[in-house]
Amino acid sequence: MPDILGSYLRYARGESGRGSVWAALGISGALLKPLIVARNAFYDRGLFCTLDPPLPVLSIGNLCNGGTNKTPMVDMMARRLMEWGLSVGIVSRGYSGVVKSPMWVGQGGVSSDRSITGDEPLMLAERLPGTKVVVSPDRHDGVCYLRELGADVVLADDAFQHRRMGRDLDIVLIDATCPFGNGKLFPAGILREHVSSLRRADIVILTKAEQAGGNIDAIREKISPWTSPETIFTARVCVESWMRFSDEGLSEFVPERGNTPPQCKFIAFSAIGNPQSFYDSLISMGLDVVKNCAYRDHHRFTWRDIDMLERHASMLGASAFICTEKDLQNMPDNLSLLYPLYIPKISVSIDDDDNFWRAASKKLRPRFIVASNGHGEDSMGSILALRLKERFPSASVSAFSLVGSGTEYRDRGIEVISPDSDMPSAGIVKYSARALIGDFKHGLRKMIKKQIEVWRRESGRFRTPICVGDVYLMAHTLWGQGMTPLLVATAKSVRLSGHWMAERALMRSRARRVWTRDKETADDLRARGVDAVFKGNPIMDLARSADMTGDPWDDMPRPHVMLLPGSRPRAYKDAKMLLDAVKLISENVDCGFIMVLAPTLDMDIMLKETGCRMNLSGMIAAGFASVKINTGPISPAARGADILIGLGGTANQVAAGLGAPVLSIIEKGKLVQKKLLGDSEILAPPNAKSLADAALDILADPMKRSAMSRAGIELMGGPGALDSVAEYAADELGWDARCMLFDTLSRVWLAHNESAVLKTPDDHDREEVRPIWKMPKNLASRVMKAVKIIK
């Protein structure tokens, strides 16, 4: 090793004193730290893009520059996954930055040139002929290419810092012989980022445990603030076999005794991240190494280097060389040596292999989340969440309700992780500054803080979030979760004022895909660079999802009048106005009346506010009429309604799309909604008499009712958007592949458990019948004892 390089490495690894000349590099490390912190913060808050790849990705990385046995770990995991019937792909950045687009390594030509692909990818391609190794500067693009090549799962080599690519499992390796060097950031030390970054890791493995002595407990203590004890494992390095290079070329070498080369004097050389560890392992084997020559990581040996090594051997009386398998990839072409060269093929083994794969499997269970902001959006979001649950039965599906308590989700059995956020405005603040001020007085700022805290706590748990609502919801989710989301844009349309410039910019740069409520809006957004599609109106998916068993209008007189007080707190007051209108209508026409209450409303409060009583049949009296109270979905009632007197938002639109003429009141929000519903809706002054007069006018004119019905059906369009979202996630986001991986691991674990139960105590020690996972000690004997007790 050149003295200057050796001196630097001793300082960076913490082996030399503080008085080293290299201490001056501490300034550059200090300058680099805020940049690294800012970069991670930008990814955590979605200011930089993190994209889910179309296949499950298991990342094997580290905190330091090389020397943690990443390549043998990738090799071990790839072999294990292939044993379980999976097609494995490996993606690597490569080395030197020559490759500009994804390249399949080892396919001849430049793809087999170590100066193009790098040494480690080429070595993995040679050791794992059953895998597909791809090098790509953008590893997300590399995963997309591996999908084209037929991979089921991807191992990402050295990807802990490559945060643009989402990953399903983050494994971080720490060299137990030199965990953090001198504790400084590169170039003042060997750290790439601070140890606190381990909070992003799912599993931490302390490698080279056989060389660490009592250092393991100290490392566990050091990293304990950022990791859980059950996710920390140890691994050991062993020599699997030996190769020998001589005049006859490269061949397998079978030692006569033990598992070491002949007893002679060796010159050792290596160009790896931790050359001292390689030298120590040779000494621990009892080899006589007379000189250890170390080079910088990934060094490509020249003939001058070979000549110098042979001179050392001649002067020191050595009769053979030893190097690492990676170094063999960096030798000159047509290599010829005066002395034989021995190369150990190493492998790693995890000490608690069973619990390691159990922890990995637990993390690899797909977790999806649907976020929404508003009662109507919650209704659509809950339908989508339920379809995801049906489409991906092995996955976990959760919800984040930005407004309210998520009742729609809970009613469908979906876990809600967001804090309750009931506000006076019920989230409708864009039409009233007074409503916004009221929400702030009610604690809106604290509520937003709580929501962000929940997002932060769940960061990294979910795959691509799906947002049902507006761009504010998307920005909120992005800031809290960091992962670039999907957006089902239900709030805006070019039929209104369209999206603002800032909203379009955010969708263009941070939305994976946008589903719009009408074709015109999708066309407008695509023309402005947004990946937008129209696959049906998501609002009309509410109608398709309703349970159509039974007719709520059964035996009720025509015409049918449907009443909808809305879902906001003011709905109790509005319900009284609607019932007063019913009294006036019933004086002129004998009608059937149904009032559909949103699940957010309390029946007892509604009865108290309206001064009504409900009989055992679920009817309340209003003048000469009886009004049936319905707490189910609006679609069955809307399909049979001759008119809707509605003060809702999304619900009014669903009814219009089902052909019910809509009558509502003149107010700012409803004037905006009128632009969406056009001739299918008529607005009247906000009092009972005006509503009653307008309703009687519509009921008396069959042609007007028919024209309003056709207009609503045409303007709202048909359903299908939510199914399209689920299929996009299954295919383009790789959710099918993730479920398949988890199901495979689950079957392996089930086979392991069944095998363990069927074993007898005598079978327990037979290696040939061991299951895929190691069986916990004495499990079979404990099971057999339990069976005897039961008998």
Side-chain angles (χ1 to χ4, degrees):
M1 176 192 298
D3 289 342
I4 189 171
L5 179 58
S7 172
Y8 168 72
L9 288 179
R10 285 192 296 273
Y11 172 75
R13 293 172 59 80
E15 297 167 2
S16 62
R18 294 183 178 179
S20 172
V21 67
W22 299 105
L25 291 174
I27 299 174
S28 60
L31 293 174
L32 187 62
K33 182 177 179 179
L35 298 179
I36 295 173
V37 171
R39 177 180 181 271
N40 282 326
F42 284 3
Y43 274 110
D44 290 340
R45 289 159 177 76
L47 298 176
F48 288 167
C49 286
T50 297
L51 301 176
D52 247 348
L55 290 175
V57 172
L58 285 61
S59 167
I60 297 95
N62 60 16
L63 289 176
C64 302
N65 285 312
T68 56
N69 292 131
K70 288 191 304 296
T71 303
M73 187 66 67
V74 171
D75 178 271
M76 181 276 291
M77 293 188 68
R79 292 179 188 276
R80 183 63 64 87
L81 292 169
M82 286 190 290
E83 287 176 10
W84 298 334
L86 295 165
S87 176
V88 180
I90 297 173
V91 65
S92 174
R93 179 189 60 185
Y95 187 75
S96 77
V98 176
V99 176
K100 302 301 181 185
S101 58
M103 177 184 290
W104 186 3
V105 177
Q107 303 308 300
V110 295
S111 72
S112 298
D113 185 342
R114 65 179 179 274
S115 65
I116 301 295
T117 64
D119 46 17
E120 291 168 341
L122 196 57
M123 185 175 78
L124 285 168
E126 292 177 357
R127 292 194 64 166
L128 299 165
T131 66
K132 299 171 180 66
V133 181
V134 165
V135 292
S136 175
D138 186 321
R139 273 163 278 196
H140 181 275
D141 292 345
V143 176
C144 294
Y145 184 43
L146 282 167
R147 182 195 184 199
E148 295 176 13
L149 296 177
D152 298 321
V153 59
V154 174
L155 297 174
D157 182 19
D158 196 14
F160 188 56
Q161 285 76 32
H162 189 79
R163 298 198 58 187
R164 181 177 182 272
M165 177 183 66
R167 67 285 311 275
D168 300 74
L169 184 69
D170 246 324
I171 300 173
V172 175
L173 309 184
I174 295 177
D175 181 354
T177 66
C178 181
F180 313 113
N182 61 12
K184 299 180 184 296
L185 293 173
F186 180 82
I190 61 174
L191 285 174
R192 296 178 178 179
E193 52 184 320
H194 191 266
V195 182
S196 61
S197 296
L198 287 175
R199 62 168 60 94
R200 301 199 314 268
D202 299 308
I203 292 175
V204 175
I205 302 178
L206 310 181
T207 62
K208 305 177 187 175
E210 76 284 356
Q211 302 177 35
N215 202 30
I216 296 294
D217 290 340
I219 300 173
R220 288 180 182 272
E221 181 66 24
K222 169 75 173 177
I223 65 178
S224 61
W226 306 288
T227 57
S228 300
E230 64 271 15
T231 63
I232 304 174
F233 298 88
T234 55
R236 300 175 185 273
V237 180
C238 63
V239 177
E240 187 178 276
S241 61
W242 287 85
M243 295 182 291
R244 183 177 187 270
F245 183 84
S246 62
D247 292 339
E248 290 78 24
L250 186 67
S251 61
E252 184 179 359
F253 172 76
V254 181
E256 294 180 1
R257 293 182 180 181
N259 193 25
T260 60
Q263 294 299 313
C264 61
K265 293 184 178 181
F266 292 96
I267 298 290
F269 63 92
S270 60
I272 58 177
N274 188 349
Q276 185 64 35
S277 176
F278 176 61
Y279 171 71
D280 291 342
S281 67
L282 298 178
I283 298 302
S284 68
M285 295 179 200
L287 300 181
D288 185 7
V289 180
V290 297
K291 187 173 181 60
N292 178 40
C293 299
Y295 300 81
R296 65 177 178 82
D297 198 10
H298 301 285
H299 174 73
R300 290 174 184 162
F301 292 90
T302 64
W303 284 110
R304 182 178 178 181
D305 296 324
I306 301 301
D307 181 62
M308 182 61 68
L309 289 169
E310 290 178 338
R311 288 186 184 184
H312 288 317
S314 177
M315 289 188 296
L316 298 174
S319 55
F321 296 113
I322 290 183
C323 73
T324 71
E325 191 176 359
K326 187 171 83 169
D327 296 318
L328 194 62
Q329 301 291 333
N330 289 316
M331 290 296 170
D333 294 333
N334 303 315
L335 177 65
S336 176
L337 294 168
L338 296 177
Y339 306 97
L341 171 64
Y342 293 91
I343 306 102
K345 293 186 70 173
I346 68 169
S347 62
V348 298
S349 60
I350 298 175
D351 289 333
D352 194 354
D353 187 64
D354 178 44
N355 280 329
F356 165 75
W357 283 105
R358 182 182 297 170
S361 300
K362 181 179 179 182
K363 176 62 182 177
L364 287 170
R365 183 188 183 190
R367 291 176 169 85
F368 310 139
I369 190 161
V370 179
S372 52
N373 61 334
H375 171 64
E377 287 76 12
D378 281 5
S379 298
M380 288 178 271
S382 64
I383 293 168
L384 177 56
L386 192 60
R387 290 184 186 173
L388 294 178
K389 216 172 180 181
E390 295 168 351
R391 180 69 174 75
F392 309 104
S394 58
S396 166
V397 181
S398 303
F400 196 105
S401 182
L402 205 64
V403 176
S405 56
T407 303
E408 293 279 358
Y409 291 104
R410 290 191 172 93
D411 288 348
R412 287 187 162 93
I414 306 298
E415 174 198 26
V416 178
I417 68 167
S418 54
D420 289 352
S421 54
D422 292 312
M423 290 287 145
S425 71
I428 308 297
V429 298
K430 59 185 177 181
Y431 304 125
S432 171
R434 181 179 298 177
L436 180 60
I437 293 171
D439 282 359
F440 268 105
K441 290 181 178 179
H442 196 72
L444 178 61
R445 185 181 62 82
K446 290 182 179 179
M447 180 53 59
I448 294 173
K449 183 180 178 182
K450 286 182 181 179
Q451 291 171 336
I452 294 297
E453 287 173 352
V454 172
W455 275 133
R456 290 279 189 271
R457 189 172 64 245
E458 302 293 335
S459 180
R461 179 185 173 193
F462 300 105
R463 306 292 2 122
T464 300
I466 303 177
C467 298
V468 181
D470 56 22
V471 177
Y472 170 76
L473 169 69
M474 187 187 108
H476 187 283
T477 304
L478 191 63
W479 183 262
Q481 195 69 4
M483 184 79 73
T484 304
L486 305 179
L487 174 62
V488 182
T490 60
K492 290 195 173 183
S493 166
V494 293
R495 295 175 183 173
L496 301 173
S497 57
H499 291 90
W500 300 334
M501 183 183 297
E503 291 176 319
R504 294 195 300 267
L506 191 62
M507 286 189 284
R508 184 164 52 245
S509 61
R510 291 295 181 269
R512 287 294 296 268
R513 173 160 288 186
V514 177
W515 281 260
T516 64
R517 54 178 294 147
D518 52 62
K519 184 177 182 301
E520 300 93 319
T521 304
D523 292 342
D524 178 73
L525 290 176
R526 273 199 307 272
R528 300 170 187 271
V530 178
D531 183 5
V533 295
F534 174 66
K535 298 292 183 179
N537 191 334
I539 292 174
M540 295 312 299
D541 283 299
L542 292 172
R544 195 174 67 176
S545 70
D547 183 3
M548 293 306 298
T549 58
D551 180 8
W553 298 102
D554 189 35
D555 295 332
M556 297 186 74
R558 303 289 300 239
H560 294 159
V561 179
M562 178 178 171
L563 307 170
L564 194 65
S567 59
R568 290 177 283 165
R570 60 168 280 186
Y572 300 114
K573 178 181 177 181
D574 289 340
K576 186 177 187 312
M577 178 175 63
L578 293 179
L579 292 175
D580 288 342
V582 167
K583 295 176 183 177
L584 298 174
I585 293 171
S586 62
E587 292 175 357
N588 295 274
V589 181
D590 184 21
C591 300
F593 296 93
I594 291 180
M595 177 181 286
V596 181
L597 296 183
T600 55
L601 300 182
D602 185 288
M603 177 64 71
D604 291 336
I605 297 176
M606 198 277 293
L607 293 175
K608 180 180 179 181
E609 291 292 327
T610 58
C612 297
R613 293 183 180 180
M614 182 184 296
N615 62 25
L616 295 177
S617 300
M619 309 285 283
I620 62 175
F624 296 104
S626 293
V627 179
K628 182 178 180 180
I629 301 299
N630 191 331
T631 57
I634 67 166
S635 302
R639 282 190 170 91
D642 294 298
I643 185 175
L644 163 68
I645 307 177
L647 305 179
T650 303
N652 277 19
Q653 297 174 50
V654 172
L658 292 173
V662 178
L663 171 62
S664 193
I665 62 175
I666 299 172
E667 64 172 14
K668 190 169 185 179
K670 294 299 181 288
L671 289 170
V672 173
Q673 182 174 263
K674 181 75 167 67
K675 296 178 182 179
L676 293 173
L677 296 182
D679 292 338
S680 68
E681 181 180 45
I682 289 177
L683 302 181
N687 59 73
K689 186 176 186 310
S690 297
L691 286 173
D693 290 343
L696 291 170
D697 180 61
I698 295 171
L699 292 174
D701 191 340
M703 294 186 64
K704 177 183 285 190
R705 288 206 313 272
S706 177
M708 292 177 70
S709 176
R710 289 195 304 271
I713 294 172
E714 181 180 347
L715 288 168
M716 291 302 298
L722 301 185
D723 284 340
S724 173
V725 173
E727 290 307 311
Y728 178 87
D731 188 40
E732 298 300 323
L733 299 183
W735 289 7
D736 266 346
R738 286 174 167 83
C739 290
M740 187 270 285
L741 172 63
F742 178 73
D743 290 342
T744 298
L745 295 179
S746 298
R747 284 194 297 270
V748 171
W749 182 243
L750 179 62
H752 160 64
N753 285 340
E754 289 177 347
S755 177
V757 171
L758 292 175
K759 285 181 183 295
T760 66
D762 292 335
D763 289 331
H764 185 65
D765 295 324
R766 297 178 186 174
E767 287 293 324
E768 66 272 11
V769 294
R770 290 176 71 191
I772 292 176
W773 260 296
K774 297 178 187 175
M775 189 166 57
K777 294 180 180 179
N778 301 324
L779 174 61
S781 60
R782 292 200 302 270
V783 171
M784 296 304 295
K785 288 179 181 178
V787 171
K788 289 179 181 178
I789 292 172
I790 294 171
K791 287 182 178 179

